[in-house]
């Protein structure tokens, strides 16, 4: 996993609530056996009409909005456990998702793929969505070390599990850690 | 302070605690399928890591399998490749696979309980969010992402933060025509799709105590639809009777010893939950959903609420429904009875009981997809197949099918489908398809009438 460095970038506003993982990556694209190429189909059925032409009303097709930060409505990532959703967002180039609430499994999957899910208050989210919508060139600064998001609507702190923060900052993953605990795991197995 | 059922099972599986961090939880059973496992196998291979405990893993093919002509090679090249990868990965790593056509094949959350793989007090995971189903046995069972599938492959453990505790109590007498599916759809409609996030849920009260194991599985299955990672019901005699004698269940003295332990798996009287909700069984009626998340549910006799909210309106627009209208009388052309929520023998019995002596409406395509080969066999042996065939229903072969429409079982654009599955997300059952979640009874009645009816008026 890549290290998560301090990020300064523009953002894409997607003010829809309850965005489920079926919207992020529809099931018919889950037939691959590797992690590549999912970015091409992120939000597929919102980005494209059934005949394959782009839906110009959808924000990702609006050339005004660019950036590696996605700002989305409440309860982002609900539904299926498919990690393909995280691969699709990462594949498209997103490094951060800001929302007022994240579904559990998605949150874990994002962190395991170097995407930082940042939970902010509903009020801050509303202001941020409005600001980015009006001023697409408005930049956000994401500082993981100090756990802050800074934008023209103000600076807020966000929470992250200290262990997960360490993993992101250093590019570690859980497999290395678990394997280092082999003795303890075997001792547990001997007991039960 | 007393312990909850969840605490008891969790604490018994903690290998170690990281200072200021997560805990290492030991996993008793790891279920895998073709869609969320290949990248995990690749990860291990690339890093030169062996699968730690292949004997604790069971594989099935379900998500991406055809439900007709399973004896023939799978037509779709990508699907075929995925199934072949699963076969190859299982063979290389000595993992038991119940592949397509095997007598034990089926939807992962149907086949594991019916084979006795699922047992009370276990920790179980699968790369599928509906793993919560197994909580019906008093098991800590939850869905994981593919990175976590790789972690369990590598260590038989997961790094987890202990979730908060939630209890949902339902007491009283359920009305006629109210099924376990209605109970859980009702709970989610009241609590919302993110009320359970960060929690593990216990369902308690006489309504769950009186439910069959099939019914309990339906309830626990949909815990994730209110955001809870998992749902549990304390094991009791109904649980022990269900497990006893199944293929991989403990036998004889081992079984007795297990039952003695399983009996201790219930929340202590003085256990305190972080959150608790209570509902009266009498308030629950047959349910339908009208929107694009499982929380958007109403009693079939109710009107769609008049909520002013952008996401709500977007959802109604997709469904082509209006605020304040009723769903009763809406013509329906597709009915799907299946999925890990409602594809067990009890579900088909409920449907058959209603259908017997009646005919499917001519406008309806009615697909019945059993959850497993074992269920398919029971349908045949118990004479349900004749009932379905005589009524014009299409009985297909086991798999996840139109629940997520990864295979060819897709609902056409713009069509409504009354479905016993678990998710009514946009496009879930096919691009542009509109899903109405309901019980097997509501689904069967819709197929017969060709439209949504108030089922309570049609019961003797």
């Amino acid at each position: 996993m890549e290290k998560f460095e301090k990020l300064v970038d523009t953002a894409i506003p997607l003010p829809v609530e309850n965005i489920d993982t079926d919207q992020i990556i529809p099931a018919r694209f889950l037939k691959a056996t590797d992690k590549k190429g999912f970015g091409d189909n992120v939000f597929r059925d919102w980005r494209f009409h059934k005949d394959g032409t782009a839906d110009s009303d959808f924000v990702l097709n609006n050339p005004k909005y660019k950036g590696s930060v996605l700002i989305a409505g409440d309860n982002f990532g609900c539904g299926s456990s498919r990690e393909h959703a995280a691969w699709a967002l990462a594949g498209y180039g997103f490094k951060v998702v800001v929302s007022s609430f994240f579904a559990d499994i998605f949150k874990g999957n994002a962190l395991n793929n170097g995407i930082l899910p940042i939970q902010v208050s509903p009020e801050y989210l509303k202001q941020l969505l409005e600001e980015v919508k009006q001023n697409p060139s408005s930049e956000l600064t994401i500082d993981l070390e100090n756990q802050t998001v800074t934008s023209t609507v103000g600076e807020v702190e966000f929470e992250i599990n200290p262990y997960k923060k360490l993993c992101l900052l250093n590019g570690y993953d859980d497999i290395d850690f678990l394997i280092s605990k082999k003795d303890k795991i075997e001792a547990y197995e001997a007991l039960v | 302070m007393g312990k909850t059922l969840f605490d008891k099972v969790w604490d018994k599986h903690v290998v170690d605690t990281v200072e200021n961090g997560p805990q290492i939880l030991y996993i008793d059973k790891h279920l895998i399928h073709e869609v969320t496992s290949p990248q995990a196998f690749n990860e291990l291979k690339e890093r030169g890591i062996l699968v730690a405990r292949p004997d604790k893993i069971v594989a099935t093919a379900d998500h991406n399998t055809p439900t007709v002509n399973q004896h023939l090679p799978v037509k779709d090249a990508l699907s075929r490749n995925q199934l072949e990868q699963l076969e190859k990965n299982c063979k290389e790593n000595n993992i038991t696979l119940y592949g397509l056509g095997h007598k034990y094949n089926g939807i992962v959350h149907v086949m594991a309980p019916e084979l006795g793989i699922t047992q009370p007090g276990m920790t179980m995971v699968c790369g599928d969010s509906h793993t919560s189903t197994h909580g019906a046995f008093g098991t800590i069972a939850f869905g994981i992402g593919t990175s976590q599938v790789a972690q369990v492959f590598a260590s038989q453990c997961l790094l987890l933060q202990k979730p908060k505790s939630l209890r949902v109590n339902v007491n009283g007498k359920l009305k006629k025509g109210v099924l376990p599916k209605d109970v859980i759809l009702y709970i989610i409609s009241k609590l919302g799709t993110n009320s359970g996030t960060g929690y593990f849920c216990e369902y308690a009260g006489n309504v769950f105590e009186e439910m069959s194991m099939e019914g309990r599985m339906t309830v626990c299955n949909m815990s994730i639809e209110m955001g809870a990672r998992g749902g549990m019901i304390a094991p009791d005699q109904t649980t022990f009777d269900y497990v006893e004698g199944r293929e991989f269940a403990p036998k004889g003295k081992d079984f007795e010893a297990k039952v003695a332990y399983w009996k201790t798996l219930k929340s202590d009287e003085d256990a305190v939950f972080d959150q608790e909700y209570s509902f009266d069984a009498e308030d629950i009626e047959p349910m339908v959903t009208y929107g694009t998340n499982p929380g958007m549910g109403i009693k079939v006799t109710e009107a769609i609420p008049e909520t002013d909210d952008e996401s709500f309106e977007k959802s109604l627009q997709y469904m082509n429904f209006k605020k304040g209208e009723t769903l009763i009388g809406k013509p329906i052309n597709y009915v799907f009875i299946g999925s890990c929520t409602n594809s067990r023998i009890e579900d088909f019995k409920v449907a058959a009981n209603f259908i017997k002596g009646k005919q499917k409406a001519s406008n309806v395509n009615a697909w019945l997809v059993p959850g497993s080969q074992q269920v398919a066999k029971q349908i045949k042996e118990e004479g349900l197949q004749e009932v379905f065939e005589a009524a014009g229903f299409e009985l297909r072969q086991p798999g996840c099918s139109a629940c997520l429409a990864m295979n060819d079982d897709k609902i056409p654009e713009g069509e409504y489908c009354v479905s016993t599955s678990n998710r009514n997300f946009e496009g879930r059952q096919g691009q542009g398809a509109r899903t109405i979640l309901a019980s097997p009874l509501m689904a069967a009645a819709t197929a017969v009438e060709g439209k949504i009816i108030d089922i309570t008026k049609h019961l003797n």
Side-chain angles (χ1 to χ4, degrees):
Chain A
M1 203 165 74
E2 273 180 47
K3 288 182 187 177
F4 191 96
E5 312 275 356
K6 190 169 173 175
L7 183 74
V8 182
D9 203 357
T10 51
I12 298 177
L14 187 54
V16 179
E17 291 177 7
N18 296 309
I19 296 178
D20 59 77
T21 52
D22 272 82
Q23 306 318 314
I24 301 172
I25 186 82
R28 63 185 187 280
F29 298 112
L30 308 187
K31 296 181 181 181
T33 52
D34 58 26
K35 298 180 186 176
K36 297 183 202 102
F38 289 105
D40 296 342
N41 294 312
V42 73
F43 297 114
R44 175 77 199 195
D45 294 342
W46 288 351
R47 265 163 81 200
F48 299 99
H49 296 297
K50 215 176 170 186
D51 62 9
T53 57
D55 181 344
S56 57
D57 289 340
F58 188 61
V59 68
L60 292 193
N61 295 326
N62 185 339
K64 275 205 297 194
Y65 298 105
K66 287 193 177 69
S68 58
V69 180
L70 179 69
I71 307 176
D74 199 60
N75 199 25
F76 186 84
C78 58
S80 152
S81 65
R82 62 186 69 161
E83 197 158 312
H84 311 67
W87 302 332
L89 290 167
Y92 189 80
F94 289 116
K95 292 194 171 82
V96 172
V97 184
V98 181
S99 175
S100 50
F101 200 86
F102 289 93
D104 250 0
I105 307 182
F106 172 80
K107 197 183 199 175
N109 288 343
L111 289 165
N112 283 332
N113 286 279
I115 297 176
L116 179 60
I118 297 180
Q119 186 170 329
V120 295
S121 71
E123 297 74 33
Y124 187 80
L125 181 73
K126 207 175 156 194
Q127 288 174 27
L128 194 61
L129 279 166
E130 202 48 41
E131 163 66 12
V132 171
K133 217 167 133 189
Q134 299 303 329
N135 304 302
S137 60
S138 182
E139 281 185 333
L140 275 78
T141 302
I142 315 289
D143 183 345
L144 174 59
E145 184 80 57
N146 293 306
Q147 297 177 219
T148 56
V149 184
T150 315
S151 71
T152 48
V153 295
E155 181 175 293
V156 286
E157 287 184 10
F158 62 88
E159 283 185 30
I160 182 168
N161 178 297
Y163 167 79
K164 274 295 166 195
K165 178 178 171 179
L166 201 72
C167 287
L168 275 181
L169 287 171
N170 295 294
Y172 298 157
D173 71 20
D174 291 353
I175 290 188
D176 300 323
F177 185 84
L178 285 167
I179 287 180
S180 76
K181 297 284 176 182
K182 198 172 166 220
D183 290 351
K184 291 232 168 176
I185 297 168
E186 284 177 355
Y188 171 88
E189 285 177 323
L191 277 176
V192 289
Chain B
M1 194 175 77
K3 282 184 162 192
T4 65
L5 160 64
F6 178 83
D7 290 334
K8 290 181 186 180
V9 180
W10 177 277
D11 293 350
K12 215 173 156 63
H13 288 85
V14 174
V15 171
D16 199 11
T17 301
V18 182
E19 216 184 303
N20 295 321
Q23 291 183 300
I24 301 176
L25 193 77
Y26 194 81
I27 304 302
D28 293 323
K29 277 284 175 239
H30 185 191
L31 308 172
I32 63 170
H33 61 84
E34 74 276 25
V35 177
T36 56
S37 68
Q39 292 88 349
F41 279 114
N42 291 346
E43 175 97 34
L44 257 71
K45 210 180 280 181
E46 281 162 22
R47 294 164 75 153
I49 304 167
L50 294 175
V51 172
R53 299 286 177 266
D55 56 320
K56 293 185 187 288
I57 308 171
V58 179
T60 188
D62 58 0
H63 277 64
N64 195 5
T65 52
T67 55
V68 287
N69 293 324
Q70 287 187 350
H71 61 290
L72 298 176
V74 175
K75 274 193 238 158
D76 180 78
L78 286 172
S79 305
R80 195 171 59 242
N81 177 49
Q82 213 168 38
L83 294 168
E84 285 167 1
Q85 284 279 317
L86 180 69
E87 213 179 311
K88 188 167 161 274
N89 285 328
C90 288
K91 203 175 211 173
E92 282 176 8
N93 293 286
N94 290 318
I95 293 167
T96 303
L97 165 67
Y98 302 131
L100 208 55
H102 191 284
K103 66 174 176 172
Y104 293 157
N105 175 258
I107 305 175
V108 60
H109 312 309
V110 176
M111 70 89 188
E114 75 187 2
L115 291 174
I117 294 168
T118 306
Q119 293 165 26
M122 280 183 164
T123 48
M124 293 180 81
V125 294
C126 175
D128 185 280
S129 61
H130 293 110
T131 307
S132 57
T133 310
H134 308 267
F137 291 78
T139 304
I140 292 184
F142 53 92
I144 55 176
T146 297
S147 293
Q148 291 177 307
V149 171
Q151 289 159 28
V152 183
F153 279 164
S155 67
Q156 201 55 36
C157 287
L158 279 175
L159 274 167
L160 296 164
Q161 208 74 38
K162 190 173 177 178
K164 289 182 282 185
S165 60
L166 160 71
R167 182 159 63 185
V168 175
N169 306 290
V170 186
N171 282 293
K173 193 172 163 19
L174 289 176
K175 287 182 184 164
K176 211 168 182 183
V178 174
L179 270 56
K181 180 64 163 287
D182 299 307
V183 174
I184 188 65
L185 282 175
Y186 177 82
I187 293 170
I188 301 168
S189 78
K190 291 291 169 199
L191 300 182
T193 50
N194 63 12
S195 55
T197 307
Y199 294 90
F200 223 88
C201 178
E202 180 178 340
Y203 300 96
N206 72 292
V207 163
F208 303 110
E209 286 161 18
E210 289 157 20
M211 260 182 205
S212 66
M213 287 314 293
E214 285 86 351
R216 294 178 191 185
M217 284 190 254
T218 299
V219 170
C220 290
N221 173 277
M222 290 193 72
S223 304
I224 185 69
E225 309 312 337
M226 57 176 177
R229 201 74 185 261
M232 299 174 92
I233 294 172
D236 58 11
Q237 200 56 46
T238 305
T239 322
F240 313 146
D241 291 345
Y242 180 96
V243 174
E244 189 173 14
R246 293 192 182 260
E247 185 74 25
F248 299 106
K251 305 276 171 350
K253 284 218 157 32
D254 284 348
F255 181 76
E256 284 165 32
K258 283 282 185 193
V259 168
Y261 165 60
W262 294 343
K263 283 182 175 170
T264 68
L265 297 177
K266 50 185 165 202
S267 291
D268 294 332
E269 291 278 334
D270 56 343
V272 178
F273 289 79
D274 295 313
Q275 186 66 258
E276 191 150 11
Y277 301 101
S278 294
F279 299 101
D280 288 331
E282 286 82 1
D283 290 341
I284 309 175
E285 282 178 30
M287 299 287 293
V288 283
T289 62
Y290 58 88
T292 56
N293 72 59
M296 299 174 84
I298 46 175
K299 296 172 184 173
V300 68
T301 52
E302 284 177 333
I304 295 175
E306 313 237 4
T307 310
D308 284 321
D309 170 275
E310 211 179 315
S311 294
F312 183 84
E313 280 158 9
K314 181 179 181 292
S315 189
L316 283 198
Q317 196 183 354
Y318 180 85
M319 293 300 291
N320 197 26
F321 288 148
K322 291 180 194 69
K323 291 177 191 178
E325 73 174 338
T326 173
L327 262 56
I328 293 172
K330 290 270 177 202
I332 303 292
N333 295 333
Y334 287 83
V335 168
F336 171 62
I337 301 181
S339 88
C340 58
T341 315
N342 284 116
S343 65
R344 299 179 180 84
I345 189 63
E346 186 178 277
D347 302 314
F348 292 102
K349 278 185 188 163
V350 164
N353 272 341
F354 185 86
I355 292 163
K356 200 167 188 177
K358 301 185 180 89
Q359 274 296 315
K360 174 187 76 65
S362 58
N363 61 309
V364 174
N365 294 285
W367 297 340
L368 306 171
V369 183
S372 68
Q373 291 286 356
Q374 301 274 312
V375 174
K377 200 168 145 230
Q378 279 172 290
I379 287 175
K380 209 176 265 181
E381 285 170 0
E382 296 186 26
L384 308 184
Q385 186 167 345
E386 285 117 65
V387 175
F388 294 137
E389 281 170 359
F393 284 66
E394 190 181 340
L395 184 61
R396 301 174 81 108
Q397 290 172 298
C400 297
S401 182
C403 171
L404 82 166
M406 259 195 92
N407 65 359
D408 291 336
D409 306 350
K410 297 183 204 305
I411 309 303
E413 188 170 9
E415 290 284 358
Y416 292 107
C417 177
V418 170
S419 175
T420 66
S421 54
N422 39 56
R423 288 186 176 136
N424 49 351
F425 298 154
E426 278 184 36
R428 171 83 177 179
Q429 297 194 287
Q431 273 181 280
R434 295 164 171 153
T435 303
I436 296 166
L437 301 176
S439 75
L441 177 62
M442 279 294 298
T446 305
V448 168
E449 299 293 331
K451 60 185 182 192
I452 295 180
I453 59 160
D454 177 3
I455 185 71
T456 56
K457 294 202 175 115
H458 289 71
L459 297 171
N460 302 322

